[in-house]
Amino acid sequence: MTDLADSIESMEQLATVWRAMVLDRDADADVRDLPGIAVRWADSRFAFWNCLTLTDVGADPVLAERRLTQAADIMRAKRQPGFLWVFEGLLDGEARAGLTAAAERAGLAYAFPGTGMAGDMLPLPEPAHPDLTFVRVRTDEQLRAYADLNSRAYGFPLEHGRDGLVGSTLWKNDVHAYLGMRGDEPVTCAATVEAEGRLFVALVATDPRWERRGYGEAVTRKALHEGARATGLTRATLHATVAGAPVYPRIGFRPNSPLRFFTLR
């Protein structure tokens, strides 16, 4: 059974971090906390910076469907596509069971699953991998490499990832973002950022040509190690994809709320 407090933490961490990320991309971005919906929408070509999430706790089927309809209406008014994140642990059992059908009635399509995770595991030992050296992202060239790794991993055009990250001062100065390098080639990346007394793990990606070698785990450990060393924080949170979900428990994360991502149909 999902712990409700953990599900609330997972949702609130998303809303906090995405506020900073979206406003970093565009100071005039649509960042609002509406009844039951957090809007974090940069209208960027990088679809992850266009985000809505439902925030009601214990929503029943009627309320959940109303929020889904409202979210779809907000998404239709935007130029660029994005995602609605739904934390299943915030819905009551009946609303969870009927979520996909209610989303379809609202004009939304199920995109992919995820899992909220958190853990009190910091600090971690200094990480190492025999194939990799780690470089902190400090320049636009390094940030472009970070963006390109995410684009390749998630199937986005390269220019879309670059639209989301290149030029950011937040990512070069305040985010503990690291590239894992095989020689001179960046092959994996991960980042942590401080958020309300926790480290939030963001945009972990590995070039598909170099998967299944432990690179993603190694660079995530590096980002967590350096973030904890800089901040003194001991708790971390993240939202895992299906590919990442088996990796993070080895680091010390515990799953909490299942996630469903929706796009406009």
Side-chain angles (χ1 to χ4, degrees):
M1 179 68 71
T2 296
D3 185 284
L4 181 58
D6 287 344
S7 297
I8 293 170
E9 175 190 45
S10 196
M11 175 271 292
E12 290 179 343
Q13 283 279 285
L14 171 69
T16 296
V17 173
W18 254 241
R19 172 187 289 274
M21 298 299 180
V22 166
L23 289 175
D24 171 66
R25 190 69 253 147
D26 181 358
D28 296 319
D30 186 1
V31 174
R32 292 176 287 161
D33 291 304
L34 304 175
I37 301 175
V39 183
R40 306 288 186 265
W41 203 283
D43 239 1
S44 167
R45 288 184 295 170
F46 186 53
F48 283 135
W49 286 171
N50 305 329
C51 164
L52 304 178
T53 189
L54 305 189
T55 59
D56 293 302
V57 177
D60 63 18
V62 173
L63 179 57
E65 186 155 352
R66 185 190 315 154
R67 297 300 189 219
L68 292 167
T69 300
Q70 292 168 334
D73 288 342
I74 293 170
M75 295 168 79
R76 289 189 192 98
K78 304 302 184 184
R79 296 190 311 274
Q80 300 291 344
F83 296 105
L84 169 66
W85 302 44
V86 179
F87 292 83
E88 293 185 40
L90 298 182
L91 306 176
D92 75 11
E94 191 177 353
R96 283 196 297 275
L99 177 58
T100 297
E104 290 175 353
R105 289 192 294 271
L108 297 163
Y110 176 64
F112 53 88
T115 307
M117 295 189 179
D120 296 294
M121 83 291 281
L122 302 175
L124 294 176
E126 176 78 36
H129 192 288
D131 296 348
L132 301 178
T133 57
F134 301 112
V135 177
R136 185 168 181 183
V137 171
R138 292 295 199 187
T139 69
D140 274 335
E141 180 181 4
Q142 292 164 338
L143 199 49
R144 185 177 296 106
Y146 198 109
D148 288 353
L149 284 166
N150 272 267
S151 293
R152 293 189 182 102
Y154 294 107
F156 298 149
L158 293 184
E159 59 269 23
H160 289 197
R162 293 172 183 179
D163 187 53
L165 290 175
V166 174
S168 168
T169 56
L170 177 73
W171 274 77
K172 288 181 287 188
N173 297 329
D174 298 327
V175 178
H176 304 277
Y178 283 84
L179 297 170
M181 310 289 294
R182 265 186 73 103
D184 294 331
E185 181 183 4
V187 296
T188 189
C189 62
T192 58
V193 62
E194 186 172 357
E196 295 185 343
R198 301 155 181 83
L199 282 180
F200 183 91
V201 180
L203 299 188
V204 179
T206 298
D207 189 309
R209 297 172 298 166
W210 296 105
E211 291 177 338
R212 302 186 184 281
R213 292 172 169 84
Y215 293 174
E217 179 178 345
V219 75
T220 300
R221 287 179 177 274
K222 177 65 173 178
L224 284 163
H225 172 81
E226 297 297 344
R229 189 168 70 166
T231 64
L233 295 173
T234 60
R235 185 167 179 81
T237 64
L238 58 80
H239 302 112
T241 62
V242 170
V247 173
Y248 299 120
R250 296 200 294 264
I251 300 174
F253 286 92
R254 183 172 64 88
N256 47 63
S257 179
L259 270 163
R260 291 192 228 178
F261 291 78
F262 295 91
T263 58
L264 282 177
R265 193 169 61 219

